[in-house]
Amino acid sequence: MTDRFIEVSLDKRGVRCTAKLLDDRAPITCNAVWDALPLGGDVYHAKYARNEIYALLAPFAPEEPPLENPTITPIPGDLCYFTFSDTQLGTASYGYESQAEHQGRATVVDLALFYERNNLLINGDAGWVPGIVWGSVVDGLDRMADACQDLWRAGALGETLNFRRV
């Protein structure tokens, strides 16, 4: 199979990076994402995982992928896929506004980019939260990491995280 690449972007900040899909390690997840592209939505900066940005989306796969190529310790450049129920993301401590687009959905898909080291996917409410590693940034992670730090400090309002085919 030919390597497949996507662009991950923070459009308001004008920053993008390129990631390679890990078809050999997470083929079901890669196909689900690829077939649904372009994808995107409001960006959030993780409160628990540490150096992560993500978008919460409506389910897009015919059936949710199994936990292939799982991790609880993502490294810089990892793209991860998570599935949550509405009640898992309903706790007030997560800080989602009542009008957030994912509110009221029975299933929520989280597409995430990890931009720096020392991440641990443990949540005080739920425990370990393994994610599927389906892509790896191969170009532009340094610029994206700077933009993610700015997002953390300056705020995420009005910014979107987008995934597109290259």
Side-chain angles (χ1 to χ4, degrees):
M1 176 180 255
T2 304
D3 289 340
R4 297 189 286 182
F5 295 88
I6 64 168
E7 174 187 275
V8 182
S9 64
L10 292 169
D11 286 355
K12 182 179 172 184
R13 284 171 171 77
V15 178
R16 44 196 38 79
C17 60
T18 303
K20 178 184 174 200
L21 272 62
L22 301 178
D23 286 300
D24 57 331
R25 297 181 186 166
I28 297 168
T29 307
C30 288
N31 285 334
V33 172
W34 185 261
D35 291 345
L37 292 174
L39 293 164
D42 291 342
V43 67
Y44 295 92
H45 196 290
K47 289 174 77 174
Y48 295 105
R50 195 162 182 167
N51 299 300
E52 170 195 3
I53 61 169
Y54 60 97
L56 299 173
L57 309 169
F60 50 81
E63 138 178 349
E64 286 306 305
L67 190 58
E68 53 184 359
N69 199 30
T71 190
I72 57 167
T73 56
I75 62 173
D78 277 352
L79 298 180
C80 289
Y81 181 110
F82 304 90
T83 303
F84 297 105
S85 72
D86 59 345
T87 56
Q88 286 175 299
L89 297 181
T91 305
S93 65
Y94 295 132
Y96 300 120
E97 64 278 6
S98 61
Q99 63 271 31
E101 288 186 31
H102 72 276
Q103 298 293 4
R105 291 183 187 146
T107 303
V108 179
V109 173
D110 171 334
L111 291 185
L113 165 67
F114 289 84
Y115 64 88
E116 188 49 81
R117 299 170 28 136
N118 299 322
N119 303 294
L120 185 60
L121 300 179
I122 189 165
N123 177 292
D125 298 326
W128 298 108
V129 183
I132 300 167
V133 182
W134 60 274
S136 180
V137 174
V138 294
D139 182 55
L141 184 60
D142 53 344
R143 294 182 307 276
M144 183 61 78
D146 289 345
C148 291
Q149 284 293 344
D150 180 65
L151 187 106
W152 173 250
R153 299 278 298 145
L157 288 179
E159 182 64 89
T160 56
L161 178 61
N162 297 285
F163 302 84
R164 298 177 186 94
R165 292 182 187 186
V166 171

